[in-house]
Amino acid sequence: MCLPISRKVIALIAVTFTLTLPVNARAQTPQATTQAREALREGARLLEKLQYQAALARFQEAYALVPTPKIHYNFGLAYLGLVRQPEALEAFETFLRETENPPPVQKLKAIEHVERLKQNVMQLVVTCNIEGAKVL
């Protein structure tokens, strides 16, 4: 089941993250931060055009340059568009867990996405008391 994403919401969220991308200590240079912002902007434009795979690639490029957890929200939107619900769920949960003081609108939307996705995604946890055991 594909969850509907409004273009207006996509644009608002992607632009918000583009403008609030922090200068991260892990970024190699100010040039990397500038390149990450541009990749986020382009990813947002691609989301608006429903080009989810290309948008995801741009978000991944931005994350490689500046690995801020805020970008996981953008991953989630792209994964929703690609109907990759397990990855979308993981991305939104990572955003909620790792982003310090997320913007309130994005936090609420991420929570809504997680609640909906959990209805469609099954998780299987396997534990074993034998070290090195493999599941085939």
Side-chain angles (χ1 to χ4, degrees):
M1 170 184 195
C2 183
L3 301 175
I5 308 171
S6 114
R7 288 183 185 197
K8 185 176 179 182
V9 170
I10 289 171
L12 168 68
I13 290 165
V15 169
T16 298
F17 283 123
T18 299
L19 297 176
T20 62
L21 183 67
V23 176
N24 191 308
R26 293 178 283 183
Q28 296 297 322
T29 64
Q31 181 182 8
T33 301
T34 300
Q35 290 173 337
R37 284 189 176 121
E38 182 50 41
L40 286 170
R41 285 186 191 104
E42 180 62 21
R45 286 190 287 273
L46 291 164
L47 275 181
E48 287 183 56
K49 294 177 182 179
L50 309 180
Q51 296 177 12
Y52 302 114
Q53 190 63 51
L56 178 61
R58 294 308 306 242
F59 296 147
Q60 290 169 333
E61 179 184 330
Y63 189 80
L65 291 164
V66 181
T68 174
K70 286 183 177 183
I71 298 175
H72 285 277
Y73 189 97
N74 298 56
F75 291 160
L77 293 176
Y79 286 132
L80 280 178
L82 293 167
V83 195
R84 292 171 55 182
Q85 294 182 5
E87 292 96 334
L89 176 60
E90 184 177 355
F92 289 122
E93 287 180 331
T94 300
F95 165 77
L96 290 168
R97 183 178 57 253
E98 295 182 11
T99 303
E100 292 181 27
N101 303 313
V105 172
Q106 286 75 26
K107 181 178 179 178
L108 289 174
K109 284 294 198 183
I111 291 169
E112 289 174 12
H113 287 306
V114 166
E115 289 172 359
R116 281 192 220 124
L117 287 163
K118 281 188 174 183
Q119 295 173 16
N120 298 320
V121 175
M122 171 108 28
Q123 293 182 336
L124 173 66
V125 178
V126 178
T127 60
C128 181
N129 62 355
I130 300 172
E131 187 173 331
K134 294 182 181 179
V135 176
L136 302 174

